[in-house]
Amino acid sequence: MVPNDRKYTREHEWVMIENGIAKLGITDHAQEALGDIVYVELPTVDDEIAIGDSYAVVESVKAVSQVYSQVSGKVVEVNEELDGTPELLNQDAYGQFIAAVEVSEVNESGLLTAEEYEAFLAEEA
């Protein structure tokens, strides 16, 4: 099930914005497609990222994937747990963010609601 508390991209990433801070992550569909995740290259706190930038790399036994941002702003937190245990993304993709960004701009046109994302997944299948 796709949580309703965040928005999604057609590239299988999610963004949840609260009080001007966007938590960014990958969807359950993405982690499933990647397979066993073995490494996550996290951004650095204070990095500036722009809409469309790759801010992280997720490496699995099958592939290496760039993770792109739908927001611009400054990285204020990274999920350091993923450094030692990247498989947390496999266990709970929606419960694990990759980075948190202080938002200066959001690409609303690139974001889907949970219902729109589920419909997109159904079309892709």
Side-chain angles (χ1 to χ4, degrees), residues 8-9 12-14 25-32 93-94 117:
Y8 301 88
T9 72
H12 309 292
E13 295 140 357
W14 59 260
I26 63 171
T27 66
D28 195 53
H29 178 86
Q31 72 78 21
E32 213 169 87
Y94 295 122
Y117 182 65

Side-chain angles (χ1 to χ4, degrees), residues 2-10 12-18 20-27 49 51 55 67-72 93-94 96-103 105-114 117:
V2 178
N4 283 321
D5 62 353
R6 61 200 76 198
K7 299 282 182 92
Y8 301 88
T9 72
R10 287 177 173 79
H12 309 292
E13 295 140 357
W14 59 260
V15 56
M16 182 169 43
I17 302 173
E18 291 177 328
I21 302 293
K23 287 199 171 173
L24 309 174
I26 63 171
T27 66
I49 59 174
I51 291 168
Y55 68 91
V67 186
Y68 297 95
S69 180
Q70 293 300 313
V71 301
S72 292
Y94 295 122
Q96 297 294 328
F97 72 99
I98 294 173
V101 176
E102 190 173 43
V103 177
E105 187 182 356
V106 179
N107 178 19
E108 289 290 348
S109 66
L111 296 175
L112 307 171
T113 65
Y117 182 65

Side-chain angles (χ1 to χ4, degrees), residues 23-24 38-46 55-56 75-89 95-100:
K23 287 199 171 173
L24 309 174
V38 295
Y39 177 71
V40 180
E41 183 181 311
L42 298 166
T44 304
V45 170
D46 291 334
Y55 68 91
V75 176
V76 293
E77 184 184 359
V78 296
N79 186 347
E80 292 179 7
E81 283 189 313
L82 296 176
D83 244 355
T85 47
E87 63 274 11
L88 289 172
L89 286 175
Q96 297 294 328
F97 72 99
I98 294 173

